[in-house]
Amino acid sequence: MEGSYKLVWFVPPAHLRSTRDAVFAAGAGWIGDYSRCSWVTLGEGTFRGGEGTSPSVGEAGRDETVAEYRVEVVVPAGKLEAVVAALRRAHPYEEPAYDLYARVEA
């Protein structure tokens, strides 16, 4: 899959489906002739909201630990901007945590 990225994001269980649906609708998750491909693992996220934040879970100024899924999908380079925008719109957090990795074909 030439010219693609791996998008990884972290999301609470209640929003797993909506964020996946959003990125799939924007063009992510294709591997060959297979659509809606993703890898999902459950873990814990930690954070402390700074002054002026409004966390969707917990309180600003307090350490929080929440259950979150780590979700990974492949994104074609030409759809990257639309997919990230879709993720940000669908995600419940003020500042969604996500990473992008360029994929290299061997």
Side-chain angles (χ1 to χ4, degrees), residues 30-53:
W30 282 90
I31 299 176
D33 291 333
Y34 292 84
S35 64
R36 299 179 63 87
C37 300
S38 66
W39 175 258
V40 180
T41 54
L42 184 59
E44 287 185 341
T46 63
F47 64 91
R48 179 188 293 184
E51 189 175 320
T53 63

Side-chain angles (χ1 to χ4, degrees), residues 1 4-7 27-31 37 72-76 103:
M1 213 176 188
S4 64
Y5 290 81
K6 176 72 64 92
L7 170 63
W30 282 90
I31 299 176
C37 300
E72 302 181 29
V73 298
V74 175
V75 182
R103 295 184 71 233

